[in-house]
Amino acid sequence: MKTIPPETETEAEESDFKPLTAQEAQQWRSRHPPLSVWKVVAGQALVGMLVALVAWVLTGRAVVGWSAAYGALAVVAPAALFARGVLRHKASSNPRAAMVGFFGWEIAKIMLTVALLAAAPRLVPGLSWIALLVGMVVAMKTYWVALLVRPGVRKTD
């Protein structure tokens, strides 16, 4: 790996980068535990169910609730497939194989989402597309909420 030397003396002096020792890295990892992808997927499923319940209660129509639930399912099922596929091969020592696997599972996730959306009118009688889209969008935005509320996150000023 090539290192790029600083362009000016001032830039070299101002650089405060210091690599962590093994002990410091271990301490950092203990203070910042990784977020489980399965917790995010479970959170998406929970939020999807809540959106479906709220849609049903607000409209008084069960079909609207089922449509919102199906929209959330069109996000959660592909996300679970992707997580399982990527995590199964995450210990790969070959970075190229890991990247190909990542993109392969991403394509599978997209294809499953498209297939679920194409099947929606046949699987949910009286489908409400608006409720389906609301369920999808809210379930997708759960990723951002999970990133913001994970433990050990520093809030910037």
Side-chain angles (χ1 to χ4, degrees), residues 7 36 39 51-52 59 73 76-77 87 97 111 121 126 144:
E7 292 181 15
S36 168
K39 286 184 180 180
V51 167
T59 63
L73 175 72
V76 173
L87 291 178
M111 289 173 55
W144 291 105

Side-chain angles (χ1 to χ4, degrees), residues 31-76:
R31 286 192 316 266
H32 301 89
L35 180 64
S36 168
V37 69
W38 295 113
K39 286 184 180 180
V40 175
V41 172
Q44 284 182 310
L46 179 65
V47 167
M49 287 188 295
L50 289 174
V51 167
L53 185 62
V54 167
W56 185 5
V57 169
L58 288 179
T59 63
R61 296 177 46 214
V63 71
V64 174
W66 284 114
S67 297
Y70 191 86
L73 175 72
V75 171
V76 173

